[in-house]
Amino acid sequence: MGARRTTGVVAGVVSAGAVVAAITAVNLPDAGSSPASAEARPVTTTEITEQTLTDRENHGGTLGHGDTATISSRADGTVTGLPAEGAIVTRGAALFRLDNKPVTLLYGSLPAYRPLSTGAKGADVRQFEQNLWALGYRGFTVDETYNASTASAVGHWQQDFGLTKTGSVDPGQIVYAPGDVRVDSLILQVGAVVGPGAAVEKVADTTPLVTVELEMTSARLAKQGAPVQITPSDGKPVPGRISKVVTVVSPGEKGDGYTTKIHVTIGFTAPVQSPNPATVTVAFTAGERPDVLAVPVVALLALAEGGYGVQVADGGTTRIVAVETGLFADGKVEITGTGLRAGLKVTVPS
C-alpha cells in the first residue's frame, strides 16, 4: 500500500469522509516495507487521542441595534419636535411633531395606507382598534369594522393628544412598527419644512444585536438558530444565537466583478446593557464531535489507491492503516480505522 505524507493545511468541515483541502509532498515506504528498513529511519511520533473536537472560528462583529428603518412624513408641514438620538419611543408616543402635532407610534405590521372613518372595514381597522384599546380607550368592539363607537373613542384619543377632534384617522397622524423603536439617527432638524415622503429619522429595534460579515469560505458557520459566544470590549463572554442569515452580492471595486458576503445577525440569549456601536468578537461553532479518536492533520497520509491513512508505529515497526476522516478542528482531524485506539502512536513529519 503506497502513501504520501500530507504536509499542507487541511481545513473546514469534512462530510462523507472527503478532505476539503490537502497538499501531498514526500513519499513514504509501502506498507510492505521490512521492519529493518523502517527501524533504519528515525521517526517522530504522536499519540492518537480520544477527545472532543470543536470546529470553531472567531470573527469580528459590530454591537448595535441591527438594521435601521426610515421614518418619513406623510403630510406637509414644519418639523417642530424631534426625539433625541438613542431615545426609545413606545406605543402612543410621538416619533416627531409636525406643525406642533404628534405623529404617533403604534404597533402593527400593516402600514397606515388610507384614512379610517365610520364605515371603513378591513384588517387595518382591527390593527388600529387594537392599539386604541391598548392605550386605554374603550366603548367599542375590536373588530374589522370602524363604527360610531370607534369614532367616539378616536375623538377622545385625538383630544388627549392635542389633535383636531374629527373621529377619523388620517394616515399622516400615525406610524406603525412591530414594537418599540430606538432612534438611531436624525435626518432633519427642527424647523425643516417637509412634504409627503420626506425622510425624518432612522429607527432600529430596541434590542441589542450583533452583526457580522462573513466570507463565503466561512459559510458553514452561518446557521440560523446556532449558538455563539460574544465577547465585548470588557472581555466577559455573553451567549447569543444567530437570528438571521442573508447572502449579499455587491459590485466589486472599480468594476471588478461582484463580491458575495454573508451578513449574520445575532441576538443575545442573556441580558446585556443597551450598547453604543462597538466592536466585539464572535465565536462561531460549526460542529462538535465528542469522544472521537483524533490525530494532528499532518499525520494524514494520501494513499496511492485513494483516500487517507496514518502510519502506526508499534513495537519497533510501522504499518499503514486506512482511515475515514471526520471533523477537522484546531489542527486535528477525527479518524476511524481498523484497530485504532487512543494511545497508539502514529508518525508525523520531523
Side-chain angles (χ1 to χ4, degrees):
M1 180 184 294
R4 293 176 293 171
R5 175 74 63 187
T6 64
T7 58
V9 175
V10 183
V13 178
V14 175
S15 61
V19 177
V20 172
I23 304 174
T24 60
V26 298
N27 291 322
L28 290 178
D30 290 343
S33 299
S34 67
S37 64
E39 290 173 352
R41 298 170 181 262
V43 296
T44 301
T45 62
T46 187
E47 288 189 351
I48 298 175
T49 58
E50 183 176 332
Q51 64 183 95
T52 296
L53 286 183
T54 304
D55 178 20
R56 179 180 291 123
E57 285 185 16
N58 291 340
H59 290 269
T62 301
L63 178 61
H65 292 271
D67 297 334
T68 61
T70 300
I71 302 298
S72 300
S73 174
R74 296 289 302 274
D76 297 304
T78 301
V79 177
T80 54
L82 290 166
E85 290 186 352
I88 304 299
V89 182
T90 60
R91 174 158 46 194
L95 283 162
F96 62 97
R97 297 182 71 87
L98 194 65
D99 290 343
N100 214 27
K101 306 293 184 182
V103 177
T104 304
L105 174 68
L106 299 178
Y107 297 169
S109 57
L110 277 173
Y113 64 91
R114 61 169 178 165
L116 297 180
S117 58
T118 302
K121 294 184 178 182
D124 56 337
V125 173
R126 177 183 291 277
Q127 180 174 272
F128 176 77
E129 289 183 342
Q130 288 171 336
N131 280 274
L132 200 59
W133 189 275
L135 290 171
Y137 297 92
R138 300 291 189 267
F140 61 95
T141 300
V142 176
D143 55 19
E144 295 193 353
T145 300
Y146 195 115
N147 57 26
S149 297
T150 307
S152 176
V154 167
H156 292 300
W157 167 67
Q158 290 172 325
Q159 188 174 25
D160 291 343
F161 279 76
L163 299 169
T164 302
K165 188 177 178 180
T166 63
S168 60
V169 183
D170 187 278
Q173 295 176 335
I174 56 178
V175 173
Y176 286 106
D180 297 346
V181 297
R182 179 182 183 274
V183 179
D184 181 78
S185 60
L186 300 176
I187 299 172
L188 299 179
Q189 297 179 340
V190 171
V193 178
V194 300
V200 177
E201 61 197 286
K202 290 184 179 294
V203 299
D205 197 285
T206 59
T207 305
L209 297 171
V210 171
T211 54
V212 180
E213 185 177 81
L214 296 176
E215 301 290 342
M216 290 303 296
T217 52
S218 296
R220 71 187 191 284
L221 305 175
K223 298 177 181 177
Q224 189 161 333
V228 298
Q229 286 288 327
I230 304 159
T231 304
S233 56
D234 63 9
K236 185 177 180 181
V238 182
R241 191 172 300 276
I242 297 175
S243 59
K244 185 168 68 171
V245 177
V246 178
T247 301
V248 178
V249 180
S250 305
E253 295 183 1
K254 300 179 181 179
D256 297 335
Y258 289 84
T259 60
T260 303
K261 300 291 180 88
I262 300 173
H263 290 196
V264 181
T265 302
I266 299 164
F268 290 88
T269 54
V272 294
Q273 291 185 342
S274 183
N276 291 317
T279 299
V280 298
T281 299
V282 180
F284 292 86
T285 300
E288 186 171 86
R289 295 280 292 166
D291 305 324
V292 297
L293 297 180
V295 295
V297 171
V298 293
L300 285 180
L301 305 172
L303 304 180
E305 62 271 33
Y308 292 85
V310 293
Q311 188 173 44
V312 176
D314 189 14
T317 64
T318 62
R319 69 182 189 277
I320 296 175
V321 178
V323 299
E324 292 289 335
T325 57
L327 186 67
F328 285 75
D330 298 328
K332 292 194 172 184
V333 56
E334 173 192 357
I335 59 171
T336 55
T338 303
L340 298 181
R341 67 179 187 278
L344 278 181
K345 294 184 181 297
V346 297
T347 64
V348 292
S350 300

